[in-house]
Amino acid sequence: MTVRKFGGSSVNGSIQFKCLAKIIESFKEDKSIIVVSAMGKTTNKLVSFNENLSHNDLIFAEQDIKVIEENHLNLITELDLGKEAKSILSKHLSLLRTIKDSVAINLDITESQKDAVLAVGELLSSNLLALYFQKIGYKAVFLDSRYVVKSNSDFSNAEVDLPITFHNIKDSVQKLHTDNNIIIMGGFIASDSKNRTTTIGRGGSDYTAAIAANAIDAKLLEIWTDVDGIMTIDPKFSSDARRILHLSYDEAAELAYFGAKVLHPKTIGPAIKKNIPILVKNTFKPEIQGTLIANSENNPKMLKALSYWDNITVINVKSNRMLGAYGFLSKVFEIFKNYQTSVDLIATSEVSISLTIDNPKNLPHLLNELQEFSNVTVTSNQAIISAIGDGVKQTSGLASRYFGILDKINIQMVSIGASEVNISVVINSADLETSLKLLHNEFFKNVNEPDVFE
Ligand code: ADP
Ligand code: ASP
Ligand code: MG
């Protein structure tokens, strides 16, 4: 069985729904699962709606609803989906308006309501796609993901309870597949033990699809998006980006973690556990082969891609020697753990540690506690560039070439040790664009490796 996930731009209107139906046409008799994101930028509008309600800007909140209504109504009209589709739309819009009215009478919007709002995008797209497929004669059925994907109650970034979810999906899919071929679910959404709606983090539909693939022992997970596959650099950043034909799980995981938005970082975990290959493809150019992520014995050992992460903060912590070396490091990490701030890169010596964080929300608290036993400096407006590829650490001369290219750039921090497939540097955000261009030109632009890059 195959699980196919279609992202926001792949379901952003009637033309896209038709493209999608064409892709599925030749598989329509096979048993499969489709996971969809919300249409286009719907989730951003729902985020904006929540923010407007938090600030009591009810007029702006109503404008957000209007945009969502118009986009979905256009889809329904253009595909002639009829009464049932319209009533599904109005049911979800009334939920938004009910929440808006409760805020109007002076109640604050709760975290649980915010997630109920965010879920509207995926609930609509999955429901409407199922109706469209039924209309054109595919044996498709809608499955409300909240019935099967269970999570904790960390609203907006809930942790999926994998054992229960695997069991639920397997069970429901088995039942639904007796009379249907294609099961259509929304990504990104789940529910907690009290059956309240939760969401699993922005971009999380890829993760939902990987969970579904694991649950049913899929032979393949396809991620359909708006680019030709995984590229040597974000194609929105550079028109020189080249498609990578094949990546290992480790390479893909590292790329996703260090900023390549094309895959949610959690996607690889459930796939790797069952050795399920992941194929990243372009919905609008299905003839292009895409990028295959799987383990292979003879994966070429070389740099495959660059990713970047802007707007990060570097924290240097220097021990004032009140604690021994061992106590110093464990104390530092304990503080980051207590404030739930994840550290992305680390460089250490016996008495000092430099680390990067991407979420500075709890920075003042962190600093307060760190300063009790150390001298701390903070540098913001920094960026991480990661160069990813199997064997980057062992390939002789690669690191010196890499640093040679960046010899005019002020490098704040380097991390080569931690991962077999990643060399990362931290630089000033102002140098990001130049550095990426220099590196991309050197390692990818004119490289002739037909088995690795298109
Ligand atoms: P979807 O809505 O389909 O999930 P996303 O916007 O989340 O799509 O991810 C696709 C985007 O990821 C592309 O449009 C591209 O700009 C961005 N991206 C970043 N890095 C890369 C990369 N190395 N290869 C391909 N796309 C990348
Ligand atoms: N719609 C959600 C988002 O925009 C989830 C996703 O697209 O994967 O973040
Ligand atoms: Mg995405």
Side-chain angles (χ1 to χ4, degrees):
M1 244 192 287
T2 300
V3 174
R4 300 186 171 88
K5 179 259 172 179
F6 291 86
S9 46
S10 303
V11 291
N12 193 21
S14 59
I15 296 174
Q16 289 80 346
F17 267 50
K18 286 177 186 165
C19 279
L20 210 157
K22 215 162 157 211
I23 290 169
I24 299 300
E25 166 119 60
S26 48
F27 313 110
K28 69 175 194 239
E29 300 304 329
D30 302 342
K31 304 285 179 199
S32 71
I33 298 180
I34 290 182
V35 174
V36 284
S37 293
M39 272 181 83
K41 302 264 180 266
T42 305
T43 312
N44 289 357
K45 271 282 157 233
L46 293 165
V47 169
S48 152
F49 175 81
N50 280 340
E51 281 168 1
N52 283 326
L53 290 191
S54 303
H55 302 136
N56 236 288
D57 285 332
L58 302 182
I59 295 176
F60 288 129
E62 181 57 33
Q63 283 172 5
D64 293 328
I65 300 182
K66 282 266 157 41
V67 174
I68 293 169
E69 179 167 24
E70 192 181 321
N71 290 342
H72 288 84
L73 253 186
N74 285 345
L75 176 85
I76 292 170
T77 316
E78 284 161 27
L79 296 176
D80 194 17
L81 295 182
K83 261 199 194 144
E84 193 179 343
K86 281 188 187 147
S87 84
I88 289 167
L89 176 60
S90 67
K91 181 182 88 185
H92 289 291
L93 295 177
S94 12
L95 171 87
L96 298 182
R97 293 203 165 97
T98 309
I99 293 177
K100 188 183 74 146
D101 292 343
S102 74
V103 172
I105 52 168
N106 261 339
L107 294 173
D108 280 338
I109 180 164
T110 63
E111 294 307 306
S112 136
Q113 282 176 319
K114 284 184 186 169
D115 267 13
V117 166
L118 294 187
V120 162
E122 268 70 11
L123 288 169
L124 279 171
S125 60
S126 51
N127 237 308
L128 295 177
L129 183 65
L131 287 181
Y132 174 56
F133 274 11
Q134 287 157 8
K135 184 179 158 70
I136 59 175
Y138 297 4
K139 281 188 166 175
V141 61
F142 163 70
L143 168 62
D144 187 332
S145 298
R146 297 172 301 178
Y147 295 158
V148 287
V149 183
K150 300 303 290 187
S151 74
N152 68 10
S153 309
D154 284 347
F155 296 106
S156 87
N157 208 5
E159 197 67 47
V160 176
D161 182 332
L162 291 172
I164 298 180
T165 302
F166 289 149
H167 169 83
N168 290 349
I169 293 180
K170 212 170 157 175
D171 198 47
S172 293
V173 164
Q174 214 164 34
K175 287 180 188 138
L176 290 170
H177 268 157
T178 49
D179 293 325
N180 305 279
N181 293 334
I182 307 167
I183 296 171
I184 302 181
M185 309 168 53
F188 179 57
I189 60 177
S191 68
D192 71 0
S193 58
K194 294 182 180 156
N195 292 329
R196 292 174 300 183
T197 302
T198 58
T199 60
I200 62 172
R202 292 301 304 270
S205 296
D206 298 333
Y207 183 41
T208 307
I211 291 171
N214 179 305
I216 61 161
D217 291 302
K219 69 174 194 324
L220 180 65
L221 167 61
E222 294 177 357
I223 304 284
W224 290 84
T225 182
D226 60 352
V227 285
D228 291 349
I230 300 188
M231 316 290 282
T232 50
I233 193 164
D234 184 345
K236 290 205 180 98
F237 172 83
S238 167
S239 55
D240 291 334
R242 296 172 65 184
R243 177 167 64 92
I244 308 163
L245 309 190
H246 182 273
L247 283 172
S248 68
Y249 287 117
D250 282 352
E251 289 170 325
E254 207 74 13
L255 257 179
Y257 187 79
F258 283 97
K261 191 185 166 213
V262 61
L263 271 189
H264 187 278
K266 285 186 174 170
T267 315
I268 306 297
I272 206 172
K273 280 206 190 79
K274 295 255 174 103
N275 232 328
I276 301 166
I278 304 172
L279 183 61
V280 180
K281 298 229 349 151
N282 190 339
T283 305
F284 309 104
K285 295 183 204 157
E287 66 286 358
I288 293 177
Q289 276 181 347
T291 300
L292 184 68
I293 302 165
N295 278 341
S296 108
E297 303 254 301
N298 39 23
N299 190 27
K301 303 233 172 306
M302 59 187 289
L303 266 195
K304 308 272 173 54
L306 297 170
S307 62
Y308 59 94
W309 200 339
D310 202 0
N311 295 320
I312 58 134
T313 304
V314 175
I315 306 174
N316 287 299
V317 191
K318 191 156 186 278
S319 168
N320 61 14
R321 299 192 182 262
M322 272 170 55
L323 303 165
Y326 174 76
F328 169 65
L329 286 183
S330 64
K331 182 79 184 156
V332 170
F333 287 118
E334 187 189 311
I335 292 171
F336 280 84
K337 178 172 168 260
N338 290 346
Y339 288 103
Q340 296 184 334
T341 301
S342 49
V343 170
D344 303 310
L345 284 185
I346 308 171
T348 58
S349 77
E350 192 188 347
V351 290
S352 74
I353 176 164
S354 301
L355 27 83
T356 67
I357 59 169
D358 61 293
N359 179 359
K361 195 175 102 194
N362 288 321
L363 190 57
H365 301 295
L366 287 167
L367 295 185
N368 256 342
E369 296 209 12
L370 290 168
Q371 275 158 350
E372 283 175 17
F373 60 93
S374 57
N375 301 318
V376 188
T377 55
V378 173
T379 322
S380 43
N381 298 324
Q382 301 292 294
I384 300 176
I385 295 183
S386 300
I388 314 283
D390 260 356
V392 286
K393 254 170 74 183
Q394 295 95 338
T395 312
S396 65
L398 196 142
S400 64
R401 224 173 117 203
Y402 186 91
F403 292 110
I405 296 292
L406 298 181
D407 64 345
K408 303 244 164 15
I409 306 287
N410 186 8
I411 296 177
Q412 313 281 348
M413 224 176 119
V414 174
S415 166
I416 305 186
S419 146
E420 286 298 316
V421 301
N422 181 343
I423 301 181
S424 288
V425 291
V426 178
I427 54 169
N428 291 319
S429 289
D431 293 328
L432 179 61
E433 201 172 325
T434 313
S435 308
L436 282 171
K437 286 219 163 95
L438 288 169
L439 289 169
H440 197 267
N441 283 350
E442 168 74 13
F443 288 105
F444 304 105
K445 196 168 176 189
N446 298 312
V447 175
N448 183 21
E449 288 280 354
D451 293 338
V452 184
F453 307 118
E454 189 175 43

